[in-house]
């Protein structure tokens, strides 16, 4: 099972990957939205913002998200680490229910470019 630090490191790596992307992925990551990532097996939530093509983690709190972020993710820590390391395909994990992604319709249209 991934640790809290491994999950935080994975989010930093994801942020770095988004910041260095180009084309449609870069434009999709250019949203300015609140973000939460609930790590189900650790029962913690990372909260922050997606802005200027980067994810800035601002807080870690126990349990599910206290407030409804504009982009909401939920998964296990192992799945987060595996996705960021390229070992788990996001679209397949999302389609199978291993990863939950909730956002407004327009945001989903933008985010699908990253899939």
């Amino acid at each position: 099972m991934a640790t809290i630090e491994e999950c935080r490191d994975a989010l930093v790596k994801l942020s770095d990957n988004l910041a260095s992307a180009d084309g449609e992925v870069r434009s999709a990551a250019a949203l300015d939205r609140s973000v939460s990532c609930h790590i189900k097996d650790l029962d913690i939530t990372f909260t922050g913002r997606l802005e200027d093509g980067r994810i800035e983690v601002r807080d870690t709190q126990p349990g599910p998200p206290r407030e409804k972020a504009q982009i909401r993710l939920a998964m296990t820590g192992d799945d987060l680490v595996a996705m960021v390391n390229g070992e788990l395909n996001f679209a397949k994990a999302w389609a199978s229910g291993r990863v939950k992604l909730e956002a407004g319709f327009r945001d989903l249209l933008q985010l699908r470019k990253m899939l």
Side-chain angles (χ1 to χ4, degrees):
M1 179 166 60
T3 66
I4 292 172
E5 285 307 312
E6 289 171 324
C7 291
R8 181 180 295 280
D9 290 345
L11 289 170
V12 168
K13 184 176 178 180
L14 175 61
S15 179
D16 291 343
N17 291 346
L18 291 174
S20 65
D22 53 6
E24 287 189 347
V25 173
R26 179 71 177 160
S27 69
L31 296 170
D32 182 10
R33 300 287 187 269
S34 60
V35 178
S36 68
C37 182
H38 182 229
I39 307 300
K40 298 184 292 187
D41 55 334
L42 298 175
D43 198 26
I44 61 158
T45 299
F46 295 95
T47 59
R49 290 208 65 84
L50 171 64
E51 57 188 353
D52 297 325
R54 296 195 68 86
I55 298 171
E56 178 188 345
V57 175
R58 295 183 177 168
D59 193 18
T60 305
Q61 51 192 286
R66 294 182 189 141
E67 296 179 16
K68 187 176 178 179
Q70 292 166 307
I71 299 172
R72 300 167 300 284
L73 292 160
M75 67 196 77
T76 67
D78 288 342
D79 284 346
L80 172 62
V81 171
M83 276 191 314
V84 172
N85 289 334
E87 300 160 4
L88 177 64
N89 179 278
F90 179 85
K92 289 180 182 178
W94 184 30
S96 70
R98 286 176 68 177
V99 173
K100 304 259 189 266
L101 169 65
E102 297 177 329
F105 183 71
R106 287 184 184 205
D107 289 340
L108 286 173
L109 289 176
Q110 281 294 102
L111 293 170
R112 74 180 172 91
K113 295 176 186 174
M114 293 191 295
L115 304 177

